[in-house]
Amino acid sequence: MILTSLNETRAIEVKTSSGIERGIVFLEKTFVADKLYNTLDAAIVASRKALDSGVAILIAPDGEQFCLWVSVKSPRIGKTVQSVKSA
């Protein structure tokens, strides 16, 4: 799914095996930021493999780039933060 902004998400911190990561909650699913891409087309192409394997993906603008957000199962959610800051 492609979002035009993160306004309808809730920013959180997520504890994963990689440590504390920037996350969001959207439609009751938790996502962590993955990679930034210079164009929307590049982000869409990159998301195809994850989508084919059944992983939920969000793409949202992040400054002049586009961030790929990947769903995580059973996250340990830390504090809710006021806003998602660009990586």
Side-chain angles (χ1 to χ4, degrees):
M1 178 179 288
I2 300 171
L3 303 177
T4 56
S5 75
L6 295 177
N7 290 342
E8 294 183 32
T9 67
R10 180 170 50 100
I12 59 172
E13 290 180 347
V14 179
K15 188 173 184 179
T16 68
S17 58
S18 301
I20 301 294
E21 298 187 50
R22 170 172 82 129
I24 57 173
V25 175
F26 181 71
L27 297 178
E28 299 183 30
K29 292 188 185 233
T30 303
F31 297 82
V32 293
D34 187 33
K35 295 182 181 175
L36 289 173
Y37 296 90
N38 290 325
T39 66
L40 178 58
D41 288 339
I44 291 170
V45 168
S47 70
R48 298 242 183 226
K49 287 182 185 176
L51 290 171
D52 289 344
S53 66
V55 176
I57 298 290
L58 293 177
I59 299 172
D62 190 341
E64 297 293 316
Q65 297 178 309
F66 293 88
C67 185
L68 200 67
W69 294 84
V70 180
S71 66
V72 292
K73 296 180 183 176
S74 303
R76 287 186 272 165
I77 298 173
K79 64 181 178 182
T80 299
V81 293
Q82 293 294 38
S83 64
V84 174
K85 296 189 190 307
S86 299

